[in-house]
Amino acid sequence: PESILYMKHLDALFLQSNKLQGKIPLEIVKLSRLLFLDIGGNDLTGPVPPEVQELDKLMFLHLDENFLTGTIPTELFRMTRLESVRLMTNRLQGRIPVGTKSISSSSSRQGVNDPSRGWANMHRLTCLTLDENRITGTLSSQFILELSESLEMLGLSSNQLKGTIPT
């Protein structure tokens, strides 16, 4: 309900495992102090709104187990405080996005807070789960190089990825 938006000091919103429907409301970005957002396990539809990047303090973004469609928004690359991104068990499609700037293993930690560096800009990321979607393409070396050195869990199972495992 819209009344949640009046909770200006809210830093955690846990609405997982309910029967919530509809799209993720764009107004959620008005909860500017949010550190934790878990709305997984519902019946939410539509794309992950790019406006989610406005939640610049967010550390945990859990949107898993819904019916979200579209692609993984590159706006996530602007969210440098994210530690956990769970998008598994949705209907996301397309390729895994990467940054527009080439990353080498020696430069992966340089230039923090530059969204063109893709996943490398998210230097606190420890958990990224994209399992059980409709992700296509190859598992690119660029994607692997961009992933944070602090990454502890990467879930890509049950998608439509092809090719070889990059080394």
Side-chain angles (χ1 to χ4, degrees):
E2 266 188 51
S3 55
I4 289 177
L5 303 177
Y6 295 107
M7 298 180 178
K8 299 292 182 193
H9 299 285
L10 195 67
D11 63 10
L13 181 57
F14 298 103
L15 294 172
Q16 71 273 21
S17 301
N18 285 289
K19 295 186 186 299
L20 300 175
Q21 298 177 338
K23 295 183 178 187
I24 298 171
L26 298 181
E27 295 82 8
I28 206 160
V29 301
K30 293 180 181 174
L31 299 173
S32 61
R33 295 180 58 151
L34 272 186
L35 303 174
F36 303 91
L37 177 59
D38 189 341
I39 51 177
N42 284 289
D43 296 326
L44 299 174
T45 58
V48 177
E51 291 83 359
V52 74
Q53 72 178 319
E54 295 176 35
L55 295 172
D56 58 356
K57 293 176 178 59
L58 204 62
M59 296 166 48
F60 295 86
L61 178 62
H62 295 178
L63 306 176
D64 51 305
E65 298 182 32
N66 280 292
F67 298 97
L68 299 176
T69 56
T71 59
I72 300 165
T74 56
E75 287 81 4
L76 291 179
F77 299 157
R78 298 183 181 279
M79 301 176 74
T80 59
R81 294 185 181 195
L82 280 175
E83 295 177 20
S84 178
V85 176
R86 291 178 29 187
L87 297 172
M88 63 195 175
T89 318
N90 277 292
R91 295 178 179 168
L92 299 172
Q93 58 192 8
R95 297 180 179 271
I96 298 171
V98 293
T100 57
K101 188 178 280 186
S102 183
I103 302 291
S104 68
S105 58
S106 61
S107 69
S108 65
R109 306 291 291 162
Q110 300 169 1
V112 173
N113 208 6
D114 178 359
S116 69
R117 297 176 66 248
W119 300 98
N121 199 46
M122 301 166 70
H123 58 280
R124 296 180 183 182
L125 192 64
T126 60
C127 174
L128 175 61
T129 59
L130 303 173
D131 312 76
E132 298 182 37
N133 278 289
R134 298 173 180 167
I135 297 171
T136 58
T138 61
L139 193 55
S140 74
S141 297
Q142 178 77 8
F143 172 64
I144 299 300
L145 284 172
E146 286 181 9
L147 288 174
S148 171
E149 292 176 7
S150 60
L151 193 72
E152 296 172 5
M153 182 177 162
L154 174 62
L156 294 169
S157 60
S158 299
N159 278 292
Q160 299 166 13
L161 295 169
K162 296 180 179 178
T164 60
I165 299 172
T167 55

PDB file of all heavy atoms in Angstrom, residues 129-157:
ATOM      1  N   THR A 129      22.607 -14.183  -7.707  1.00  0.00           N
ATOM      2  CA  THR A 129      21.883 -15.375  -8.154  1.00  0.00           C
ATOM      3  C   THR A 129      20.931 -15.005  -9.280  1.00  0.00           C
ATOM      4  O   THR A 129      20.042 -14.173  -9.114  1.00  0.00           O
ATOM      5  CB  THR A 129      21.106 -16.047  -6.997  1.00  0.00           C
ATOM      6  OG1 THR A 129      20.184 -15.132  -6.442  1.00  0.00           O
ATOM      7  CG2 THR A 129      22.060 -16.532  -5.913  1.00  0.00           C
ATOM      8  N   LEU A 130      21.158 -15.620 -10.417  1.00  0.00           N
ATOM      9  CA  LEU A 130      20.355 -15.412 -11.619  1.00  0.00           C
ATOM     10  C   LEU A 130      19.764 -16.736 -12.100  1.00  0.00           C
ATOM     11  O   LEU A 130      19.288 -16.840 -13.222  1.00  0.00           O
ATOM     12  CB  LEU A 130      21.217 -14.798 -12.729  1.00  0.00           C
ATOM     13  CG  LEU A 130      21.921 -13.480 -12.395  1.00  0.00           C
ATOM     14  CD1 LEU A 130      22.875 -13.076 -13.499  1.00  0.00           C
ATOM     15  CD2 LEU A 130      20.912 -12.394 -12.106  1.00  0.00           C
ATOM     16  N   ASP A 131      19.798 -17.767 -11.264  1.00  0.00           N
ATOM     17  CA  ASP A 131      19.317 -19.100 -11.619  1.00  0.00           C
ATOM     18  C   ASP A 131      17.860 -19.054 -12.085  1.00  0.00           C
ATOM     19  O   ASP A 131      17.098 -18.182 -11.695  1.00  0.00           O
ATOM     20  CB  ASP A 131      19.355 -20.041 -10.399  1.00  0.00           C
ATOM     21  CG  ASP A 131      20.654 -20.002  -9.644  1.00  0.00           C
ATOM     22  OD1 ASP A 131      20.890 -19.021  -8.904  1.00  0.00           O
ATOM     23  OD2 ASP A 131      21.423 -20.952  -9.770  1.00  0.00           O
ATOM     24  N   GLU A 132      17.492 -20.069 -12.854  1.00  0.00           N
ATOM     25  CA  GLU A 132      16.102 -20.315 -13.253  1.00  0.00           C
ATOM     26  C   GLU A 132      15.420 -19.093 -13.871  1.00  0.00           C
ATOM     27  O   GLU A 132      14.351 -18.664 -13.447  1.00  0.00           O
ATOM     28  CB  GLU A 132      15.293 -20.840 -12.067  1.00  0.00           C
ATOM     29  CG  GLU A 132      15.817 -22.171 -11.551  1.00  0.00           C
ATOM     30  CD  GLU A 132      15.000 -22.714 -10.406  1.00  0.00           C
ATOM     31  OE1 GLU A 132      13.766 -22.552 -10.415  1.00  0.00           O
ATOM     32  OE2 GLU A 132      15.600 -23.302  -9.490  1.00  0.00           O
ATOM     33  N   ASN A 133      16.076 -18.550 -14.877  1.00  0.00           N
ATOM     34  CA  ASN A 133      15.506 -17.495 -15.697  1.00  0.00           C
ATOM     35  C   ASN A 133      15.580 -17.963 -17.144  1.00  0.00           C
ATOM     36  O   ASN A 133      15.689 -19.165 -17.398  1.00  0.00           O
ATOM     37  CB  ASN A 133      16.264 -16.178 -15.479  1.00  0.00           C
ATOM     38  CG  ASN A 133      15.796 -15.437 -14.247  1.00  0.00           C
ATOM     39  OD1 ASN A 133      14.708 -14.903 -14.222  1.00  0.00           O
ATOM     40  ND2 ASN A 133      16.621 -15.432 -13.205  1.00  0.00           N
ATOM     41  N   ARG A 134      15.561 -17.050 -18.052  1.00  0.00           N
ATOM     42  CA  ARG A 134      15.663 -17.386 -19.481  1.00  0.00           C
ATOM     43  C   ARG A 134      16.852 -16.651 -20.090  1.00  0.00           C
ATOM     44  O   ARG A 134      16.766 -16.116 -21.197  1.00  0.00           O
ATOM     45  CB  ARG A 134      14.363 -17.013 -20.185  1.00  0.00           C
ATOM     46  CG  ARG A 134      13.177 -17.801 -19.644  1.00  0.00           C
ATOM     47  CD  ARG A 134      11.871 -17.330 -20.189  1.00  0.00           C
ATOM     48  NE  ARG A 134      10.781 -18.136 -19.623  1.00  0.00           N
ATOM     49  CZ  ARG A 134       9.525 -17.828 -19.707  1.00  0.00           C
ATOM     50  NH1 ARG A 134       9.154 -16.734 -20.336  1.00  0.00           N
ATOM     51  NH2 ARG A 134       8.610 -18.599 -19.161  1.00  0.00           N
ATOM     52  N   ILE A 135      17.941 -16.632 -19.353  1.00  0.00           N
ATOM     53  CA  ILE A 135      19.143 -15.915 -19.778  1.00  0.00           C
ATOM     54  C   ILE A 135      19.838 -16.707 -20.879  1.00  0.00           C
ATOM     55  O   ILE A 135      20.006 -17.918 -20.778  1.00  0.00           O
ATOM     56  CB  ILE A 135      20.067 -15.674 -18.572  1.00  0.00           C
ATOM     57  CG1 ILE A 135      19.341 -14.767 -17.563  1.00  0.00           C
ATOM     58  CG2 ILE A 135      21.389 -15.063 -19.007  1.00  0.00           C
ATOM     59  CD1 ILE A 135      20.028 -14.617 -16.247  1.00  0.00           C
ATOM     60  N   THR A 136      20.220 -16.001 -21.942  1.00  0.00           N
ATOM     61  CA  THR A 136      20.812 -16.625 -23.123  1.00  0.00           C
ATOM     62  C   THR A 136      22.229 -16.108 -23.350  1.00  0.00           C
ATOM     63  O   THR A 136      22.711 -15.250 -22.636  1.00  0.00           O
ATOM     64  CB  THR A 136      19.954 -16.336 -24.371  1.00  0.00           C
ATOM     65  OG1 THR A 136      19.861 -14.908 -24.526  1.00  0.00           O
ATOM     66  CG2 THR A 136      18.569 -16.928 -24.245  1.00  0.00           C
ATOM     67  N   GLY A 137      22.845 -16.630 -24.384  1.00  0.00           N
ATOM     68  CA  GLY A 137      24.172 -16.189 -24.767  1.00  0.00           C
ATOM     69  C   GLY A 137      25.247 -17.047 -24.124  1.00  0.00           C
ATOM     70  O   GLY A 137      24.986 -18.155 -23.655  1.00  0.00           O
ATOM     71  N   THR A 138      26.435 -16.513 -24.102  1.00  0.00           N
ATOM     72  CA  THR A 138      27.568 -17.238 -23.531  1.00  0.00           C
ATOM     73  C   THR A 138      27.937 -16.640 -22.180  1.00  0.00           C
ATOM     74  O   THR A 138      27.544 -15.516 -21.857  1.00  0.00           O
ATOM     75  CB  THR A 138      28.795 -17.165 -24.458  1.00  0.00           C
ATOM     76  OG1 THR A 138      29.170 -15.787 -24.597  1.00  0.00           O
ATOM     77  CG2 THR A 138      28.507 -17.766 -25.821  1.00  0.00           C
ATOM     78  N   LEU A 139      28.688 -17.387 -21.440  1.00  0.00           N
ATOM     79  CA  LEU A 139      29.240 -16.903 -20.180  1.00  0.00           C
ATOM     80  C   LEU A 139      30.536 -16.192 -20.545  1.00  0.00           C
ATOM     81  O   LEU A 139      31.574 -16.812 -20.723  1.00  0.00           O
ATOM     82  CB  LEU A 139      29.488 -18.089 -19.248  1.00  0.00           C
ATOM     83  CG  LEU A 139      29.781 -17.810 -17.796  1.00  0.00           C
ATOM     84  CD1 LEU A 139      28.694 -16.964 -17.162  1.00  0.00           C
ATOM     85  CD2 LEU A 139      29.904 -19.123 -17.040  1.00  0.00           C
ATOM     86  N   SER A 140      30.472 -14.883 -20.704  1.00  0.00           N
ATOM     87  CA  SER A 140      31.599 -14.138 -21.268  1.00  0.00           C
ATOM     88  C   SER A 140      32.737 -13.935 -20.274  1.00  0.00           C
ATOM     89  O   SER A 140      32.526 -13.825 -19.068  1.00  0.00           O
ATOM     90  CB  SER A 140      31.122 -12.779 -21.783  1.00  0.00           C
ATOM     91  OG  SER A 140      30.860 -11.902 -20.711  1.00  0.00           O
ATOM     92  N   SER A 141      33.935 -13.880 -20.822  1.00  0.00           N
ATOM     93  CA  SER A 141      35.119 -13.581 -20.001  1.00  0.00           C
ATOM     94  C   SER A 141      34.988 -12.207 -19.365  1.00  0.00           C
ATOM     95  O   SER A 141      35.417 -11.991 -18.236  1.00  0.00           O
ATOM     96  CB  SER A 141      36.386 -13.635 -20.855  1.00  0.00           C
ATOM     97  OG  SER A 141      36.578 -14.928 -21.350  1.00  0.00           O
ATOM     98  N   GLN A 142      34.390 -11.264 -20.102  1.00  0.00           N
ATOM     99  CA  GLN A 142      34.184  -9.907 -19.573  1.00  0.00           C
ATOM    100  C   GLN A 142      33.359  -9.953 -18.291  1.00  0.00           C
ATOM    101  O   GLN A 142      33.692  -9.313 -17.295  1.00  0.00           O
ATOM    102  CB  GLN A 142      33.490  -9.040 -20.632  1.00  0.00           C
ATOM    103  CG  GLN A 142      33.174  -7.634 -20.187  1.00  0.00           C
ATOM    104  CD  GLN A 142      34.367  -6.699 -20.185  1.00  0.00           C
ATOM    105  OE1 GLN A 142      35.435  -7.042 -20.662  1.00  0.00           O
ATOM    106  NE2 GLN A 142      34.178  -5.524 -19.646  1.00  0.00           N
ATOM    107  N   PHE A 143      32.283 -10.734 -18.293  1.00  0.00           N
ATOM    108  CA  PHE A 143      31.430 -10.877 -17.112  1.00  0.00           C
ATOM    109  C   PHE A 143      32.233 -11.436 -15.943  1.00  0.00           C
ATOM    110  O   PHE A 143      32.173 -10.915 -14.831  1.00  0.00           O
ATOM    111  CB  PHE A 143      30.246 -11.780 -17.455  1.00  0.00           C
ATOM    112  CG  PHE A 143      29.393 -12.177 -16.279  1.00  0.00           C
ATOM    113  CD1 PHE A 143      28.683 -11.230 -15.555  1.00  0.00           C
ATOM    114  CD2 PHE A 143      29.285 -13.511 -15.910  1.00  0.00           C
ATOM    115  CE1 PHE A 143      27.892 -11.603 -14.475  1.00  0.00           C
ATOM    116  CE2 PHE A 143      28.491 -13.893 -14.842  1.00  0.00           C
ATOM    117  CZ  PHE A 143      27.792 -12.935 -14.122  1.00  0.00           C
ATOM    118  N   ILE A 144      32.996 -12.475 -16.187  1.00  0.00           N
ATOM    119  CA  ILE A 144      33.795 -13.097 -15.125  1.00  0.00           C
ATOM    120  C   ILE A 144      34.819 -12.112 -14.581  1.00  0.00           C
ATOM    121  O   ILE A 144      35.002 -11.994 -13.363  1.00  0.00           O
ATOM    122  CB  ILE A 144      34.480 -14.385 -15.636  1.00  0.00           C
ATOM    123  CG1 ILE A 144      33.429 -15.418 -16.075  1.00  0.00           C
ATOM    124  CG2 ILE A 144      35.423 -14.960 -14.598  1.00  0.00           C
ATOM    125  CD1 ILE A 144      32.466 -15.857 -14.990  1.00  0.00           C
ATOM    126  N   LEU A 145      35.487 -11.367 -15.449  1.00  0.00           N
ATOM    127  CA  LEU A 145      36.476 -10.387 -14.997  1.00  0.00           C
ATOM    128  C   LEU A 145      35.847  -9.248 -14.200  1.00  0.00           C
ATOM    129  O   LEU A 145      36.459  -8.710 -13.284  1.00  0.00           O
ATOM    130  CB  LEU A 145      37.251  -9.809 -16.187  1.00  0.00           C
ATOM    131  CG  LEU A 145      38.313 -10.710 -16.794  1.00  0.00           C
ATOM    132  CD1 LEU A 145      38.860 -10.088 -18.068  1.00  0.00           C
ATOM    133  CD2 LEU A 145      39.438 -10.979 -15.807  1.00  0.00           C
ATOM    134  N   GLU A 146      34.641  -8.882 -14.557  1.00  0.00           N
ATOM    135  CA  GLU A 146      33.977  -7.775 -13.869  1.00  0.00           C
ATOM    136  C   GLU A 146      33.505  -8.141 -12.470  1.00  0.00           C
ATOM    137  O   GLU A 146      33.352  -7.269 -11.628  1.00  0.00           O
ATOM    138  CB  GLU A 146      32.760  -7.298 -14.676  1.00  0.00           C
ATOM    139  CG  GLU A 146      33.118  -6.516 -15.904  1.00  0.00           C
ATOM    140  CD  GLU A 146      31.893  -6.052 -16.666  1.00  0.00           C
ATOM    141  OE1 GLU A 146      30.761  -6.180 -16.154  1.00  0.00           O
ATOM    142  OE2 GLU A 146      32.069  -5.550 -17.797  1.00  0.00           O
ATOM    143  N   LEU A 147      33.255  -9.410 -12.235  1.00  0.00           N
ATOM    144  CA  LEU A 147      32.726  -9.803 -10.929  1.00  0.00           C
ATOM    145  C   LEU A 147      33.702  -9.440  -9.825  1.00  0.00           C
ATOM    146  O   LEU A 147      34.911  -9.586  -9.953  1.00  0.00           O
ATOM    147  CB  LEU A 147      32.402 -11.294 -10.900  1.00  0.00           C
ATOM    148  CG  LEU A 147      31.183 -11.667 -11.723  1.00  0.00           C
ATOM    149  CD1 LEU A 147      31.026 -13.173 -11.762  1.00  0.00           C
ATOM    150  CD2 LEU A 147      29.923 -11.024 -11.191  1.00  0.00           C
ATOM    151  N   SER A 148      33.161  -8.979  -8.753  1.00  0.00           N
ATOM    152  CA  SER A 148      33.941  -8.519  -7.618  1.00  0.00           C
ATOM    153  C   SER A 148      34.832  -9.619  -7.062  1.00  0.00           C
ATOM    154  O   SER A 148      34.465 -10.790  -7.031  1.00  0.00           O
ATOM    155  CB  SER A 148      32.987  -8.035  -6.524  1.00  0.00           C
ATOM    156  OG  SER A 148      33.663  -7.771  -5.342  1.00  0.00           O
ATOM    157  N   GLU A 149      35.986  -9.203  -6.577  1.00  0.00           N
ATOM    158  CA  GLU A 149      36.882 -10.151  -5.909  1.00  0.00           C
ATOM    159  C   GLU A 149      36.257 -10.668  -4.620  1.00  0.00           C
ATOM    160  O   GLU A 149      36.670 -11.692  -4.102  1.00  0.00           O
ATOM    161  CB  GLU A 149      38.222  -9.484  -5.611  1.00  0.00           C
ATOM    162  CG  GLU A 149      39.009  -9.168  -6.859  1.00  0.00           C
ATOM    163  CD  GLU A 149      40.286  -8.412  -6.572  1.00  0.00           C
ATOM    164  OE1 GLU A 149      40.637  -8.231  -5.383  1.00  0.00           O
ATOM    165  OE2 GLU A 149      40.947  -8.003  -7.529  1.00  0.00           O
ATOM    166  N   SER A 150      35.262  -9.986  -4.107  1.00  0.00           N
ATOM    167  CA  SER A 150      34.604 -10.422  -2.871  1.00  0.00           C
ATOM    168  C   SER A 150      33.424 -11.357  -3.130  1.00  0.00           C
ATOM    169  O   SER A 150      32.795 -11.822  -2.187  1.00  0.00           O
ATOM    170  CB  SER A 150      34.149  -9.205  -2.061  1.00  0.00           C
ATOM    171  OG  SER A 150      33.233  -8.438  -2.811  1.00  0.00           O
ATOM    172  N   LEU A 151      33.126 -11.661  -4.418  1.00  0.00           N
ATOM    173  CA  LEU A 151      31.997 -12.525  -4.730  1.00  0.00           C
ATOM    174  C   LEU A 151      32.204 -13.917  -4.134  1.00  0.00           C
ATOM    175  O   LEU A 151      33.251 -14.534  -4.322  1.00  0.00           O
ATOM    176  CB  LEU A 151      31.798 -12.631  -6.242  1.00  0.00           C
ATOM    177  CG  LEU A 151      30.471 -13.248  -6.653  1.00  0.00           C
ATOM    178  CD1 LEU A 151      29.328 -12.294  -6.382  1.00  0.00           C
ATOM    179  CD2 LEU A 151      30.483 -13.633  -8.120  1.00  0.00           C
ATOM    180  N   GLU A 152      31.209 -14.386  -3.393  1.00  0.00           N
ATOM    181  CA  GLU A 152      31.273 -15.702  -2.757  1.00  0.00           C
ATOM    182  C   GLU A 152      30.303 -16.689  -3.389  1.00  0.00           C
ATOM    183  O   GLU A 152      30.512 -17.896  -3.314  1.00  0.00           O
ATOM    184  CB  GLU A 152      30.962 -15.575  -1.261  1.00  0.00           C
ATOM    185  CG  GLU A 152      31.980 -14.745  -0.513  1.00  0.00           C
ATOM    186  CD  GLU A 152      31.587 -14.462   0.921  1.00  0.00           C
ATOM    187  OE1 GLU A 152      30.547 -14.983   1.389  1.00  0.00           O
ATOM    188  OE2 GLU A 152      32.316 -13.708   1.578  1.00  0.00           O
ATOM    189  N   MET A 153      29.217 -16.184  -3.980  1.00  0.00           N
ATOM    190  CA  MET A 153      28.217 -17.079  -4.566  1.00  0.00           C
ATOM    191  C   MET A 153      27.733 -16.519  -5.892  1.00  0.00           C
ATOM    192  O   MET A 153      27.314 -15.371  -5.973  1.00  0.00           O
ATOM    193  CB  MET A 153      27.035 -17.235  -3.620  1.00  0.00           C
ATOM    194  CG  MET A 153      25.983 -18.176  -4.151  1.00  0.00           C
ATOM    195  SD  MET A 153      24.676 -18.369  -2.945  1.00  0.00           S
ATOM    196  CE  MET A 153      23.416 -19.027  -3.984  1.00  0.00           C
ATOM    197  N   LEU A 154      27.797 -17.366  -6.919  1.00  0.00           N
ATOM    198  CA  LEU A 154      27.306 -17.015  -8.236  1.00  0.00           C
ATOM    199  C   LEU A 154      26.376 -18.135  -8.687  1.00  0.00           C
ATOM    200  O   LEU A 154      26.797 -19.284  -8.807  1.00  0.00           O
ATOM    201  CB  LEU A 154      28.453 -16.854  -9.235  1.00  0.00           C
ATOM    202  CG  LEU A 154      28.065 -16.622 -10.691  1.00  0.00           C
ATOM    203  CD1 LEU A 154      27.266 -15.324 -10.834  1.00  0.00           C
ATOM    204  CD2 LEU A 154      29.302 -16.591 -11.571  1.00  0.00           C
ATOM    205  N   GLY A 155      25.112 -17.819  -8.910  1.00  0.00           N
ATOM    206  CA  GLY A 155      24.136 -18.806  -9.358  1.00  0.00           C
ATOM    207  C   GLY A 155      23.648 -18.500 -10.753  1.00  0.00           C
ATOM    208  O   GLY A 155      23.065 -17.443 -10.976  1.00  0.00           O
ATOM    209  N   LEU A 156      23.907 -19.402 -11.675  1.00  0.00           N
ATOM    210  CA  LEU A 156      23.479 -19.239 -13.069  1.00  0.00           C
ATOM    211  C   LEU A 156      22.794 -20.495 -13.601  1.00  0.00           C
ATOM    212  O   LEU A 156      22.547 -20.609 -14.787  1.00  0.00           O
ATOM    213  CB  LEU A 156      24.695 -18.917 -13.957  1.00  0.00           C
ATOM    214  CG  LEU A 156      25.383 -17.583 -13.691  1.00  0.00           C
ATOM    215  CD1 LEU A 156      26.696 -17.502 -14.433  1.00  0.00           C
ATOM    216  CD2 LEU A 156      24.476 -16.436 -14.056  1.00  0.00           C
ATOM    217  N   SER A 157      22.472 -21.438 -12.738  1.00  0.00           N
ATOM    218  CA  SER A 157      21.914 -22.713 -13.188  1.00  0.00           C
ATOM    219  C   SER A 157      20.524 -22.537 -13.785  1.00  0.00           C
ATOM    220  O   SER A 157      19.828 -21.555 -13.523  1.00  0.00           O
ATOM    221  CB  SER A 157      21.875 -23.709 -12.030  1.00  0.00           C
ATOM    222  OG  SER A 157      21.086 -23.223 -10.972  1.00  0.00           O
TER     223      SER A 157
END
